[in-house]
Amino acid sequence: MKVLFICVNFNGALVTEKFVASVQQLSNSHVGLHADSVVIDNASENSDYSALSEIVKKYENVKLIRSDKNLGYFGGLNLGLINSDLHDYDYVMVGNNDLTFSPDFLSELSSRNYEPDVCVIAPNVITLDGYHQNPHCLGRVSGFRKFLYRLYFTDYRIAHLLTLVAGKLKASQGGRRNDAAFESQNIHMGIGACYILPKAFFRHYARLDDSVFLYGEEALLAGQVMAVGGKTYYDHKLIVSHAESATLSKLPSKTTYEFAKESYPKYRSFL
């Protein structure tokens, strides 16, 4: 079995090195299981790109591609897809650069026989504080939650208030948790940090829907899956560790809000 791992780097060379090293270890640990990496540099500063160039030289089976402009998240991943011979691979993992993979990731994946209409596989993505980010949404978003989204995107101050209230509610309930994380099942959306694309996806699409620069990718991918009558499957035994927003943490909150607000009209119909 051969798996291609594609990630996007933006001024995070040292974070990306952990990703590449983790993938390399997977390939070295299992006979008959092979992993290649493609790193897309999304117009990072020259110093970060130079550091990244030196890093990838230390590892086998890594391809580095630099974009002259920041293409956004899915846009960057698409650059990796269109510059790879996807026919060589059984699966393609697309995701953030702040991911590392459990030692049995490839062996677990190789043992699977997913249904032919499964177009996207959402792994068990676990943050540093132990939170399971998948399933992101078991079913379509409720009418009340859609109302909250509309309210959230009316004004930054309202969004800030709603975020504070949501944080206090979660804290009063013992912190964030995901009770659905321990059962593999079909879901509506997986967290955007990491997806596994089987050959079924590429029978319908050559690339991801990158009509947003940032935020809303989960809904756009769900829209692609729904459009062809496919399924997104959550596999709780495929363990991925997520450092969680290593790049976005460098951006001010007002900036991330504006990114999200601009994207919202493009993906809301797929929620």
Side-chain angles (χ1 to χ4, degrees):
M1 184 186 74
K2 292 185 66 176
V3 181
L4 179 64
F5 290 75
I6 303 176
C7 75
V8 175
N9 177 79
F10 177 68
N11 292 328
L14 296 180
V15 174
T16 301
E17 181 171 20
K18 295 178 182 177
F19 174 97
V20 173
S22 179
V23 174
Q24 183 74 60
Q25 187 175 24
L26 291 179
S27 196
N28 291 342
S29 301
H30 302 282
V31 176
L33 303 179
H34 180 81
D36 292 328
S37 298
V38 173
V39 177
I40 303 302
D41 183 76
N42 232 349
S44 298
E45 297 175 1
N46 288 335
S47 58
D48 190 81
Y49 178 72
S50 296
L52 185 60
S53 298
E54 293 302 313
I55 286 169
V56 299
K57 291 177 183 178
K58 299 188 294 184
Y59 299 92
E60 299 177 358
N61 307 315
V62 183
K63 182 179 181 180
L64 175 60
I65 300 173
R66 190 181 196 187
S67 174
D68 292 332
K69 72 172 187 175
N70 193 326
L71 301 172
Y73 181 38
F74 270 15
L77 292 174
N78 279 333
L79 184 60
L81 290 174
I82 64 177
N83 282 282
S84 302
D85 190 352
L86 303 179
H87 298 289
D88 286 347
Y89 298 96
D90 299 285
Y91 297 97
V92 179
M93 195 296 306
V94 291
N96 290 0
N97 65 329
D98 55 351
L99 306 174
T100 55
F101 305 90
S102 65
D104 63 351
F105 186 86
L106 288 185
S107 59
E108 284 285 351
L109 186 59
S110 67
S111 69
R112 298 296 188 269
N113 186 21
Y114 297 108
E115 295 294 325
D117 59 350
V118 170
C119 295
V120 176
I121 301 155
N124 190 353
V125 181
I126 306 174
T127 64
L128 296 179
D129 63 353
Y131 176 66
H132 298 256
Q133 293 184 290
N134 275 326
H136 184 52
C137 287
L138 287 172
R140 300 293 296 269
V141 172
S142 68
F144 178 68
R145 189 172 175 186
K146 288 180 180 179
F147 165 74
L148 290 178
Y149 276 127
R150 291 195 298 271
L151 188 61
Y152 181 90
F153 288 118
T154 56
D155 184 83
Y156 173 67
R157 290 164 295 184
I158 293 175
H160 187 67
L161 178 61
L162 288 174
T163 301
L164 287 176
V165 171
K168 289 184 180 297
L169 284 174
K170 286 180 182 178
S172 69
Q173 297 168 355
R176 58 181 185 170
R177 65 184 189 188
N178 192 342
D179 294 332
F182 305 98
E183 178 184 354
S184 297
Q185 57 189 301
N186 294 322
I187 64 174
H188 179 55
M189 288 192 291
I191 194 71
C194 181
Y195 297 108
I196 301 166
L197 305 179
K199 289 184 180 295
F201 178 86
F202 297 105
R203 285 199 291 268
H204 302 286
Y205 301 106
R207 54 191 294 161
L208 304 163
D209 183 344
D210 59 2
S211 54
V212 300
F213 179 78
L214 196 63
Y215 292 112
E217 295 90 354
E218 295 99 337
L220 291 176
L221 183 55
Q224 287 186 281
V225 173
M226 288 189 292
V228 297
K231 295 175 182 175
T232 296
Y233 185 77
Y234 167 61
D235 192 328
H236 81 284
K237 291 189 176 181
L238 298 178
I239 306 297
V240 180
S241 297
H242 183 201
E244 201 172 14
S245 300
T247 296
L248 292 180
S249 64
K250 301 175 183 177
L251 297 173
S253 58
K254 187 67 164 62
T255 300
T256 59
Y257 174 79
E258 292 300 332
F259 279 140
K261 184 176 181 178
E262 182 180 351
S263 299
Y264 176 63
K266 301 175 184 178
Y267 69 76
R268 62 186 177 187
S269 62
F270 304 121
L271 291 171

